[in-house]
Amino acid sequence: MSPPKNVGRTPLMEQYLRVKREHPDAFLFFRLGDFYEMFFEDATRGAALLGLTLTSRNKQDPEPVPMCGIPWHQRDAYLARLLRLGHKVAVCDQLEDAALAKGLVQRGVTEVLTPGSVTGDAFLEASANNFLAALWPGAEVLGVCLADASTGEVKLAEATWGDAAGFLSRLRVAEWLTPQERDLGEAGGAQLEAALRGVPGTRSAATPQRFLDPGLPRARWDAAGAALLDALPVAALAAVAALDYLDRVQGGAALQLTRVERWSEEAVLRYDGATARHLELFQAQPGGDPSHTLWRHLNLCVSPLGTRLLRAWLERPLTDLAEVTARHDAVAAWLAAGMARSAFRERLKGLADLERLAARLACARATPRDLGALRDALGRLPALAAALEDLPRRAVARASLEVDPALGHLLGNALVDDPPPLSREGGIIRSGHDERRDELDALAHSGKRWIAELETSERARTGIGSLKVGFNRVFGYYLEVTRSHLEKVPPDYERRQTLTTAERFVTPALKARESEVLGAEEKLKALEHELFTALRERAAAYVADVQRTAATLARLDAEAALAEAAARYGWVRPAMDDSDRIQLVAARHPVVERLLARGEFVPNDCVLDGSTRQILLLTGPNMGGKSTYLRQVALIVLLAQSGSFVPAASAAIGRVDRLFTRVGAADRLGAGQSTFMVEMSETADILRFATPRSLVLLDEIGRGTATYDGLALAWAVTEHLHASDGPRPRTIFATHYHELTQLAGSLPRLANIQVTVQDSGGSVVFLHGIAEGAADRSYGIHVAQLAGLPETVLSRAREVLVELESERTVERLEPPGRRRPREPRPPTNQLALFGAEPHPVLEELKRLELERLSPLEALNRIAEWKRTLGTG
């Protein structure tokens, strides 16, 4: 909604519109007294998004200004809601005391918050990184810079255009920063848009010039960071834009003391967003409960530091066997040292998020409360180090937990025990830290004591027992006398304000003291702010030490959490090697077994071998456990290569480079893709990118189309995965196409396995076990009976099933290479419908004069035509 033409006549609205023009793409929170207000279109949209009451500022005007507001002390809660919805917010504060302002109060934007640039804990998810991803499209590669302003992490990467969409889909990004589409040209814009299609996250755009200042990151990062910029020149341009954007929204130099790394996928087990959804790693399926996710049961960390790192391990499992072994060694050590693990975890609980504190300290955004939390955390480090006594390699870990004691002394001597959240309100600096501060504090407090004592002395002097001393922002300190005692007021009382039931007065002595008190208080607040700023700058010199300590605590917490999971759930250490085998004994689903009563889950074995048992074709009834079996194998591999122990009696796993799952059915209507199209797209990715090191899990193919089309596709996909010149990944394929079991006779590396059932006449019991061999029934009608379908429908379904099974037309198909050429079909007289030459019968039919044809002649003609067509 555009502002009314006469809105400029209001100085306040002129001020608002001037600020709004500087931030057109953000909600503007405009401070008015004790409220933050929104006007015009911001008010209309904000009221709808936040559930606020929409009103107007000038209701009598022909064009009233829409308005809604929130109390100032609830600002962060509403900001967080808008940020979670993907919006940007500019906060415009009053820059002077309204009581002291002459005319219109000065206002200015003090903060700009966007989903990918925030650093405050109130706006962040403690358990995950909050990445801003800047992208620059090169000729052959896409440059990517992932920057987490809240932790000071920067990741640089370059992805080929062929893998760009898959690469971006594997990232968890709060905000995307790209060049403006109109500046990229039609081809470049289309290429970038295709890579980003369907990827969640807020979009922001910048002019190409924002990407083209190579000196910006080099001026802030160390030699290692500069070398990485040289190695990844396209990603370096993305890094320029990320820094420039964060500088602009944060109002200062961002990411100065940061950790720059190469985000490589060469040593990472890769899986895409679809696989994460299928396996419910972090988010349950629609309608599901958070307890259905692996993350809910795996995340036993006691600090946000460890939680974020453990999530990163699960998002990017390792393929380097030495690194995987090192993690398993650490988990084994924590598992063996149960008492030390318990003590460490107990002492770590409640520790401040040192990683995010260090990031705010580095960019001069740390608050007094942040520095107090840092001081308290440093004081707990010796006890944490002592808990590591019984662990191997404890010396290295303990050394990493040592921060220069000077920082703790500095903060301890300067700060009060409970520092406030804001630096301009005073109450920050401890007595004895600064002499001038103590003088102002004494002056302010002595004046307040005099004023407090004034009430008693004036009551005695005037004889007015109800006389009170009060204060407000407009009139300052005053003496209040009720109307019934006005005749007792002394002559030196000066009237300041008249109320309904009382009068307010001042005296020359009170005014003098008020000036001293208020002057001392304002000077004290200003001095404490200066002292705090200087303290923060001195503390920033120790950021590198704090970051190192934070990284060590995060690693220890993540390792101890994995050991805790192993101890609680009875998980074992997997044996990792470079073979193409996966051998699991009595494997269990890590989530499903937690949701069932103890002992109810049925464990199963799994043996895959790239050379002799590459493909397992799994058949069996609905609800028999096929999907659970597939998912548990995938989850065990992910857990093992993330560094965790696994739910099995024993596990030997040859490393996996990529994990593919084609499980479940879902459409993408927003992208114009049906369920079947989604299924085929995911299958195409498997056939295109799988390698002999990959693990592929297929839960039916071709359900969304005609039965024979689906069977044909499933058959061909299986043959392709097995072919000597194909990808040959280790594969488990669950299917209801029982015809596929024939393939075991022609594909030597394919084995049939089945879900076991106990069928005793009309009674069927699902045993949930996996055995060798092929099943010949799916028991779909039995499952439909359990679901409550009417008996009339079930009865008819059984009749139809008997008829269909008696007329099965799918015969044994020959494998590729041995397949005989199809014999040409004999000529047929079937009527041609599309584009063929006219048929004699049709021509004769056209020439018939029906009104002259007797019934008998008509029957004779029909019999003749049948003979002509060969159907008589």
Side-chain angles (χ1 to χ4, degrees):
M1 175 181 178
S2 58
K5 294 179 180 179
N6 65 346
V7 76
R9 298 175 188 170
T10 307
L12 181 68
M13 286 293 97
E14 284 183 349
Q15 185 185 54
Y16 170 85
L17 290 172
R18 186 167 57 251
V19 177
K20 179 62 181 175
R21 280 193 291 270
E22 297 172 359
H23 303 277
D25 60 342
F27 280 95
L28 181 61
F29 276 29
F30 192 75
R31 182 72 181 265
L32 281 178
D34 290 336
F35 286 82
Y36 282 100
E37 304 286 0
M38 289 178 277
F39 299 103
F40 302 110
E41 186 177 355
D42 281 3
T44 305
R45 295 171 59 216
L49 291 171
L50 300 174
L52 303 174
T53 300
L54 183 66
T55 180
S56 59
R57 179 168 178 80
N58 48 348
K59 296 181 180 179
Q60 307 306 318
D61 196 282
E63 295 183 81
V65 176
M67 178 180 77
C68 67
I70 58 171
W72 70 269
H73 60 277
Q74 295 180 8
R75 184 199 77 160
D76 285 357
Y78 286 99
L79 282 176
R81 289 172 63 182
L82 286 174
L83 290 168
R84 281 195 296 271
L85 292 170
H87 298 288
K88 304 174 186 178
V89 185
V91 179
C92 181
D93 279 311
Q94 297 177 169
L95 303 181
E96 60 180 338
D97 191 331
L100 304 177
K102 296 180 180 179
L104 187 64
V105 176
Q106 287 188 351
R107 292 179 176 85
V109 172
T110 55
E111 287 183 280
V112 178
L113 299 104
T114 75
S117 67
V118 290
T119 59
D121 289 338
F123 314 124
L124 295 166
E125 183 182 345
S127 63
N129 281 100
N130 192 71
F131 282 123
L132 167 75
L135 307 178
W136 178 259
E140 298 180 356
V141 297
L142 175 65
V144 182
C145 174
L146 293 168
D148 187 343
S150 72
T151 61
E153 297 172 77
V154 173
K155 321 284 187 184
L156 300 180
E158 291 179 356
T160 63
W161 283 111
D163 192 42
F167 178 84
L168 298 184
S169 75
R170 290 189 285 273
L171 303 178
R172 189 174 188 269
V173 171
E175 184 176 2
W176 302 91
L177 179 64
T178 61
Q180 292 177 349
E181 189 173 354
R182 65 172 181 266
D183 298 316
L184 291 176
E186 187 174 345
Q191 204 171 28
L192 183 58
E193 185 58 34
L196 280 168
R197 186 173 296 123
V199 176
T202 300
R203 300 274 195 96
S204 298
T207 61
Q209 288 71 26
R210 299 287 187 183
F211 291 77
L212 301 177
D213 180 9
L216 185 59
R218 294 178 188 277
R220 299 188 191 175
W221 298 345
D222 58 17
L228 198 53
L229 293 171
D230 292 333
L232 301 170
V234 183
L237 298 177
V240 172
L243 283 176
D244 173 81
Y245 182 76
L246 290 174
D247 284 356
R248 285 185 286 126
V249 298
Q250 291 186 350
L255 297 175
Q256 296 187 84
L257 303 171
T258 193
R259 296 159 288 164
V260 186
E261 302 173 3
R262 182 170 190 158
W263 188 269
S264 172
E265 294 195 326
E266 295 174 0
V268 172
L269 189 166
R270 285 180 280 176
Y271 61 89
D272 60 14
T275 295
R277 291 191 298 273
H278 293 160
L279 298 179
E280 297 184 286
L281 295 182
F282 303 104
Q283 189 171 3
Q285 297 285 359
D289 189 87
S291 64
H292 298 166
T293 65
L294 176 66
W295 182 240
R296 181 65 169 267
H297 301 277
L298 185 67
N299 179 27
L300 301 180
C301 294
V302 294
S303 76
L305 296 163
T307 298
R308 285 195 300 275
L309 183 61
L310 182 59
R311 180 174 182 130
W313 286 358
L314 191 58
E315 289 176 336
R316 290 167 59 82
L318 301 168
T319 58
D320 184 289
L321 292 178
E323 293 185 33
V324 175
T325 300
R327 281 189 193 168
H328 287 161
D329 288 343
V331 174
W334 278 113
L335 184 60
M339 295 292 290
R341 184 177 75 248
S342 178
F344 176 81
R345 285 165 55 82
E346 189 62 34
R347 294 173 189 179
L348 187 59
K349 286 179 181 177
L351 189 79
D353 192 335
L354 290 179
E355 189 175 39
R356 286 182 167 163
L357 281 179
R360 290 198 288 274
L361 189 57
C363 65
R365 298 178 73 86
T367 66
R369 186 161 291 173
D370 285 338
L371 292 193
L374 177 58
R375 172 202 60 199
D376 297 342
L378 295 176
R380 293 171 61 178
L381 292 181
L384 286 165
L388 305 177
E389 280 294 334
D390 295 334
L391 288 176
R393 299 176 299 161
R394 63 183 180 274
V396 176
R398 292 189 65 174
S400 299
L401 295 182
E402 293 177 1
V403 177
D404 191 332
L407 176 60
H409 294 317
L410 175 67
L411 298 176
N413 292 334
L415 296 170
V416 296
D417 291 340
D418 186 18
L422 302 175
S423 62
R424 295 187 180 275
E425 299 300 321
I428 304 168
I429 305 300
R430 186 183 295 276
S431 297
H433 178 71
D434 181 84
E435 184 176 348
R436 176 58 180 158
R437 179 261 166 212
D438 291 348
E439 291 175 359
L440 289 172
D441 184 63
L443 180 59
H445 280 83
S446 65
K448 283 187 175 182
R449 282 194 299 273
W450 183 89
I451 290 171
E453 293 167 357
L454 177 66
E455 185 173 281
T456 302
S457 63
E458 285 300 299
R459 283 180 176 180
R461 181 167 79 96
T462 63
I464 303 173
S466 61
L467 182 146
K468 295 187 297 184
V469 174
F471 175 84
N472 67 31
R473 285 180 170 271
V474 178
F475 298 106
Y477 287 98
Y478 56 81
L479 298 160
E480 183 174 295
V481 180
T482 59
R483 289 190 174 278
S484 59
H485 294 91
L486 287 179
E487 71 279 0
K488 299 179 183 178
V489 170
D492 60 336
Y493 274 33
E494 302 174 11
R495 182 177 283 103
R496 274 292 174 88
Q497 186 181 16
T498 299
L499 304 178
T500 303
T501 59
E503 298 274 354
R504 289 176 175 174
F505 303 87
V506 296
T507 66
L510 179 58
K511 286 192 292 185
R513 283 291 185 174
E514 176 187 80
S515 178
E516 287 181 11
V517 170
L518 296 181
E521 284 185 339
E522 291 303 316
K523 290 177 183 177
L524 177 61
K525 289 178 182 179
L527 178 59
E528 288 211 354
H529 176 70
E530 291 178 12
L531 292 171
F532 166 74
T533 302
L535 177 67
R536 184 170 62 189
E537 290 176 357
R538 292 177 64 186
Y542 300 90
V543 163
D545 282 356
V546 177
Q547 287 177 331
R548 186 190 67 248
T549 297
T552 299
L553 288 173
R555 177 177 56 80
L556 293 172
D557 187 20
E559 292 168 351
L562 292 178
E564 185 69 19
R568 288 188 192 182
Y569 308 149
W571 294 359
V572 300
R573 177 172 181 164
M576 303 297 301
D577 58 37
D578 211 25
S579 71
D580 57 5
R581 287 176 58 82
I582 295 177
Q583 186 164 0
L584 310 177
V585 177
R588 313 184 303 276
H589 192 294
V591 177
V592 176
E593 76 160 338
R594 306 305 311 159
L595 302 179
L596 297 176
R598 181 181 292 273
E600 282 193 9
F601 188 87
V602 179
N604 283 293
D605 299 346
C606 177
V607 178
L608 281 165
D609 189 319
S611 57
T612 61
R613 195 177 163 93
Q614 174 213 335
I615 299 177
L616 299 180
L617 194 69
L618 175 59
T619 51
N622 302 96
M623 288 186 62
K626 297 192 299 299
S627 295
T628 299
Y629 182 74
L630 264 64
R631 287 181 169 96
Q632 77 187 32
V633 173
L635 292 173
I636 285 173
V637 169
L638 281 179
L639 285 170
Q641 293 190 212
S642 298
S644 173
F645 285 17
V646 299
S650 67
I653 300 171
R655 67 180 179 89
V656 174
D657 65 352
R658 297 189 72 154
L659 174 63
F660 298 93
T661 62
R662 164 80 283 291
V663 180
D667 54 31
R668 296 178 192 149
L669 297 180
Q673 295 183 342
S674 67
T675 301
F676 182 66
M677 186 61 183
V678 171
E679 182 181 315
M680 290 298 100
S681 297
E682 293 175 356
T683 304
D685 285 343
I686 293 171
L687 300 183
R688 187 180 302 119
F689 297 116
T691 73
R693 284 267 172 217
S694 302
L695 176 62
V696 173
L697 303 172
L698 302 171
D699 190 0
E700 203 61 273
I701 292 179
R703 284 177 296 190
T705 188
T707 301
Y708 285 171
D709 285 356
L711 173 58
L713 285 166
W715 193 293
V717 166
T718 305
E719 289 181 340
H720 181 77
L721 293 173
H722 184 277
S724 57
D725 58 348
R728 295 183 60 171
R730 289 161 286 184
T731 302
I732 307 178
F733 185 178
T735 182
H736 289 287
Y737 294 133
H738 298 116
E739 294 83 358
L740 293 179
T741 59
Q742 302 173 29
L743 288 169
S746 57
L747 304 182
R749 296 187 307 281
L750 182 146
N752 284 317
I753 59 175
Q754 61 176 311
V755 177
T756 56
V757 298
Q758 181 178 319
D759 187 350
S760 53
S763 175
V764 177
V765 178
F766 299 130
L767 302 178
H768 304 296
I770 303 296
E772 297 294 316
D776 60 356
R777 295 182 61 188
S778 292
Y779 297 94
I781 295 177
H782 178 75
V783 174
Q785 184 178 19
L786 294 177
L789 264 67
E791 183 56 39
T792 54
V793 174
L794 296 171
S795 177
R796 178 56 181 157
R798 294 186 188 100
E799 294 172 2
V800 174
L801 178 62
V802 171
E803 293 180 20
L804 292 175
E805 288 182 337
S806 67
E807 297 176 5
R808 294 179 75 111
T809 58
V810 177
E811 300 173 356
R812 177 175 294 278
L813 299 178
E814 294 291 340
R818 298 214 310 263
R819 194 168 296 144
R820 292 171 301 203
R822 185 184 297 273
E823 302 235 349
R825 291 185 178 179
T828 178
N829 289 319
Q830 181 177 349
L831 294 179
L833 298 180
F834 303 105
E837 293 188 11
H839 195 281
V841 173
L842 287 176
E843 292 301 308
E844 188 176 349
L845 187 59
K846 289 178 183 177
R847 293 194 299 267
L848 277 180
E849 297 181 21
L850 296 179
E851 65 278 3
R852 296 186 179 182
L853 202 64
S854 69
L856 181 58
E857 287 176 322
L859 290 173
N860 289 335
R861 289 288 182 93
I862 292 172
E864 183 181 343
W865 292 340
K866 291 189 58 146
R867 286 193 296 272
T868 302
L869 295 172
T871 59

